[in-house]
Amino acid sequence: HINSPVHGNLLLKLGDGQEIRTNSMIMSYNSPVIDKLTTNLFQSSIELDDFTKPAVDCFVEALYSGEVDKLEKDNFEEVNKMAHVFDVSWLTKRCLKFYKAEVLKFENNSYEEMLFACEIASRA
C-alpha cells in the first residue's frame, strides 16, 4: 500500500515538504533508474522537488496498479516527465497515447486548445 509504515521503505520527498512512502520493490520493478538508486546506491529517499503532489500521486499509483486512471491534462506533462526521467517505458507509451487521444483532441477548435498542445509538444 502507498504510505504503508511497514512496507514503505522508499520515501519520495516533494518540494513543498510533503512525503510519500512507497515500496522500493514495486517502484524498482517498473523503473530501472529507481532500481539502480535503491539497489546500487542504497538510497532510501528520492527528491522530487520539481513535481506537484497530484502528479506524483498519479505516477506512483500508475506504478503500483499498471493503470493511469488519474492522468489528466493538468498533470500530464509532469507524469510524462517522471516516466522519462525514471525510464518507465510502458508509462511513456501510455502518456503518448493520452497525448494523442486527449491533448490533440480539439473539442472547440479554440486557440487555447491548440496553443496548449503546441506548448506541450515544444517541451517534449
Side-chain angles (χ1 to χ4, degrees):
H1 291 21
I2 299 170
N3 283 318
S4 169
V6 176
H7 300 290
N9 62 336
L10 179 62
L11 191 62
L12 305 180
K13 296 182 177 184
L14 307 180
D16 62 1
Q18 295 186 69
E19 298 177 338
I20 301 171
R21 291 196 163 279
T22 63
N23 183 289
S24 64
M25 288 183 64
I26 294 171
M27 301 295 284
S28 294
Y29 177 78
N30 287 280
S31 166
V33 174
I34 292 174
D35 185 43
K36 287 177 184 165
L37 290 172
T38 57
T39 305
N40 297 350
L41 300 176
F42 307 106
Q43 288 192 351
S44 59
S45 66
I46 299 174
E47 302 284 335
L48 295 176
D49 296 340
D50 296 341
F51 304 104
T52 61
K53 184 160 185 341
V56 175
D57 285 340
C58 179
F59 178 75
V60 171
E61 288 184 26
L63 269 57
Y64 267 66
S65 69
E67 299 297 327
V68 288
D69 296 334
K70 292 191 174 183
L71 190 61
E72 302 171 347
K73 284 184 179 181
D74 292 342
N75 65 17
F76 161 76
E77 276 189 276
E78 291 181 87
V79 173
N80 187 47
K81 184 176 180 181
M82 282 184 275
H84 280 87
V85 166
F86 294 109
D87 195 19
V88 183
S89 59
W90 70 266
L91 186 53
T92 60
K93 291 174 187 168
R94 294 272 183 93
C95 286
L96 178 60
K97 183 177 178 181
F98 178 87
Y99 179 77
K100 289 177 179 178
E102 297 299 323
V103 177
L104 295 179
K105 179 174 68 176
F106 303 124
E107 294 173 353
N108 302 318
N109 281 329
S110 70
Y111 173 76
E112 290 80 16
E113 287 177 324
M114 291 180 205
L115 181 62
F116 178 72
C118 291
E119 286 177 348
I120 289 177
S122 71
R123 291 189 290 263

mmCIF file of all heavy atoms in Angstrom, residues 16-17 19 21-24 43 71 89 99 101 104 108 117 119-121:
data_model
loop_
_atom_site.group_PDB
_atom_site.id
_atom_site.type_symbol
_atom_site.label_atom_id
_atom_site.label_comp_id
_atom_site.label_asym_id
_atom_site.label_seq_id
_atom_site.Cartn_x
_atom_site.Cartn_y
_atom_site.Cartn_z
ATOM 1 N N ASP A 16 7.276 20.816 -1.579
ATOM 2 C CA ASP A 16 6.513 21.550 -0.569
ATOM 3 C C ASP A 16 6.626 20.929 0.823
ATOM 4 O O ASP A 16 5.912 21.305 1.739
ATOM 5 C CB ASP A 16 5.045 21.651 -0.980
ATOM 6 C CG ASP A 16 4.356 20.297 -1.094
ATOM 7 O OD1 ASP A 16 5.001 19.260 -0.829
ATOM 8 O OD2 ASP A 16 3.171 20.271 -1.460
ATOM 9 N N GLY A 17 7.519 19.950 0.975
ATOM 10 C CA GLY A 17 7.726 19.324 2.280
ATOM 11 C C GLY A 17 6.926 18.045 2.505
ATOM 12 O O GLY A 17 7.157 17.331 3.480
ATOM 13 N N GLU A 19 5.710 14.180 1.951
ATOM 14 C CA GLU A 19 6.433 12.944 1.685
ATOM 15 C C GLU A 19 5.442 11.824 1.381
ATOM 16 O O GLU A 19 4.367 11.772 1.951
ATOM 17 C CB GLU A 19 7.285 12.552 2.893
ATOM 18 C CG GLU A 19 8.343 13.575 3.225
ATOM 19 C CD GLU A 19 9.145 13.216 4.464
ATOM 20 O OE1 GLU A 19 8.650 12.426 5.307
ATOM 21 O OE2 GLU A 19 10.266 13.726 4.592
ATOM 22 N N ARG A 21 5.430 7.625 1.137
ATOM 23 C CA ARG A 21 6.152 6.375 1.368
ATOM 24 C C ARG A 21 5.702 5.359 0.327
ATOM 25 O O ARG A 21 4.518 5.144 0.118
ATOM 26 C CB ARG A 21 5.865 5.826 2.760
ATOM 27 C CG ARG A 21 6.456 6.657 3.849
ATOM 28 C CD ARG A 21 6.482 5.887 5.178
ATOM 29 N NE ARG A 21 7.405 6.543 6.084
ATOM 30 C CZ ARG A 21 8.730 6.389 6.054
ATOM 31 N NH1 ARG A 21 9.278 5.609 5.182
ATOM 32 N NH2 ARG A 21 9.496 7.024 6.912
ATOM 33 N N THR A 22 6.690 4.744 -0.338
ATOM 34 C CA THR A 22 6.391 3.738 -1.359
ATOM 35 C C THR A 22 7.239 2.498 -1.110
ATOM 36 O O THR A 22 8.205 2.533 -0.349
ATOM 37 C CB THR A 22 6.694 4.274 -2.772
ATOM 38 O OG1 THR A 22 8.091 4.547 -2.883
ATOM 39 C CG2 THR A 22 5.898 5.529 -3.075
ATOM 40 N N ASN A 23 6.880 1.441 -1.769
ATOM 41 C CA ASN A 23 7.625 0.196 -1.678
ATOM 42 C C ASN A 23 8.685 0.180 -2.775
ATOM 43 O O ASN A 23 8.361 0.245 -3.962
ATOM 44 C CB ASN A 23 6.670 -0.990 -1.820
ATOM 45 C CG ASN A 23 7.367 -2.308 -1.653
ATOM 46 O OD1 ASN A 23 8.139 -2.708 -2.519
ATOM 47 N ND2 ASN A 23 7.084 -2.972 -0.554
ATOM 48 N N SER A 24 9.945 0.075 -2.381
ATOM 49 C CA SER A 24 11.036 0.139 -3.358
ATOM 50 C C SER A 24 10.983 -1.006 -4.365
ATOM 51 O O SER A 24 11.379 -0.829 -5.514
ATOM 52 C CB SER A 24 12.386 0.152 -2.651
ATOM 53 O OG SER A 24 12.603 -1.049 -1.953
ATOM 54 N N GLN A 43 19.919 4.221 -1.834
ATOM 55 C CA GLN A 43 19.111 5.383 -1.466
ATOM 56 C C GLN A 43 17.767 4.928 -0.918
ATOM 57 O O GLN A 43 17.136 4.025 -1.469
ATOM 58 C CB GLN A 43 18.905 6.303 -2.660
ATOM 59 C CG GLN A 43 20.147 7.057 -3.043
ATOM 60 C CD GLN A 43 19.848 8.162 -4.041
ATOM 61 O OE1 GLN A 43 18.750 8.280 -4.574
ATOM 62 N NE2 GLN A 43 20.845 8.977 -4.319
ATOM 63 N N LEU A 71 -4.469 10.179 -14.776
ATOM 64 C CA LEU A 71 -3.787 11.008 -15.762
ATOM 65 C C LEU A 71 -4.783 11.975 -16.376
ATOM 66 O O LEU A 71 -5.832 11.574 -16.871
ATOM 67 C CB LEU A 71 -3.144 10.141 -16.844
ATOM 68 C CG LEU A 71 -2.201 10.835 -17.809
ATOM 69 C CD1 LEU A 71 -1.019 11.453 -17.075
ATOM 70 C CD2 LEU A 71 -1.692 9.847 -18.846
ATOM 71 N N SER A 89 9.165 2.688 -19.302
ATOM 72 C CA SER A 89 8.838 2.638 -20.731
ATOM 73 C C SER A 89 7.347 2.447 -20.993
ATOM 74 O O SER A 89 6.800 3.098 -21.892
ATOM 75 C CB SER A 89 9.646 1.550 -21.425
ATOM 76 O OG SER A 89 9.394 0.300 -20.851
ATOM 77 N N TYR A 99 -1.659 11.737 -24.902
ATOM 78 C CA TYR A 99 -1.421 12.984 -25.634
ATOM 79 C C TYR A 99 -2.175 12.985 -26.966
ATOM 80 O O TYR A 99 -2.851 13.950 -27.315
ATOM 81 C CB TYR A 99 0.082 13.185 -25.863
ATOM 82 C CG TYR A 99 0.415 14.433 -26.643
ATOM 83 C CD1 TYR A 99 0.389 15.676 -26.048
ATOM 84 C CD2 TYR A 99 0.752 14.351 -27.996
ATOM 85 C CE1 TYR A 99 0.697 16.826 -26.757
ATOM 86 C CE2 TYR A 99 1.063 15.504 -28.712
ATOM 87 C CZ TYR A 99 1.028 16.724 -28.087
ATOM 88 O OH TYR A 99 1.316 17.851 -28.804
ATOM 89 N N ALA A 101 -4.741 11.132 -27.822
ATOM 90 C CA ALA A 101 -6.187 10.995 -27.673
ATOM 91 C C ALA A 101 -6.839 12.185 -26.982
ATOM 92 O O ALA A 101 -7.960 12.566 -27.344
ATOM 93 C CB ALA A 101 -6.513 9.723 -26.883
ATOM 94 N N LEU A 104 -4.494 16.317 -28.152
ATOM 95 C CA LEU A 104 -4.688 16.712 -29.547
ATOM 96 C C LEU A 104 -6.156 16.687 -29.972
ATOM 97 O O LEU A 104 -6.470 16.938 -31.131
ATOM 98 C CB LEU A 104 -3.863 15.821 -30.472
ATOM 99 C CG LEU A 104 -2.354 15.936 -30.324
ATOM 100 C CD1 LEU A 104 -1.653 14.982 -31.278
ATOM 101 C CD2 LEU A 104 -1.874 17.366 -30.542
ATOM 102 N N ASN A 108 -13.210 22.325 -29.149
ATOM 103 C CA ASN A 108 -13.794 23.607 -29.534
ATOM 104 C C ASN A 108 -13.038 24.292 -30.661
ATOM 105 O O ASN A 108 -13.404 25.384 -31.065
ATOM 106 C CB ASN A 108 -13.832 24.546 -28.323
ATOM 107 C CG ASN A 108 -14.623 23.955 -27.187
ATOM 108 O OD1 ASN A 108 -15.675 23.381 -27.403
ATOM 109 N ND2 ASN A 108 -14.107 24.087 -25.976
ATOM 110 N N ALA A 117 -1.576 22.325 -26.816
ATOM 111 C CA ALA A 117 -0.973 21.153 -27.473
ATOM 112 C C ALA A 117 0.404 21.494 -28.035
ATOM 113 O O ALA A 117 1.336 20.697 -27.923
ATOM 114 C CB ALA A 117 -1.895 20.655 -28.580
ATOM 115 N N GLU A 119 2.463 23.926 -27.012
ATOM 116 C CA GLU A 119 3.393 24.169 -25.911
ATOM 117 C C GLU A 119 3.924 22.867 -25.337
ATOM 118 O O GLU A 119 5.115 22.734 -25.062
ATOM 119 C CB GLU A 119 2.718 25.000 -24.816
ATOM 120 C CG GLU A 119 2.558 26.455 -25.190
ATOM 121 C CD GLU A 119 1.817 27.255 -24.137
ATOM 122 O OE1 GLU A 119 1.230 26.661 -23.207
ATOM 123 O OE2 GLU A 119 1.815 28.498 -24.238
ATOM 124 N N ILE A 120 3.047 21.895 -25.162
ATOM 125 C CA ILE A 120 3.473 20.595 -24.642
ATOM 126 C C ILE A 120 4.428 19.944 -25.631
ATOM 127 O O ILE A 120 5.469 19.415 -25.245
ATOM 128 C CB ILE A 120 2.267 19.684 -24.353
ATOM 129 C CG1 ILE A 120 1.518 20.212 -23.128
ATOM 130 C CG2 ILE A 120 2.701 18.250 -24.126
ATOM 131 C CD1 ILE A 120 0.270 19.449 -22.796
ATOM 132 N N ALA A 121 4.093 19.980 -26.899
ATOM 133 C CA ALA A 121 4.943 19.376 -27.930
ATOM 134 C C ALA A 121 6.310 20.038 -27.968
ATOM 135 O O ALA A 121 7.332 19.363 -28.148
ATOM 136 C CB ALA A 121 4.268 19.446 -29.283
#
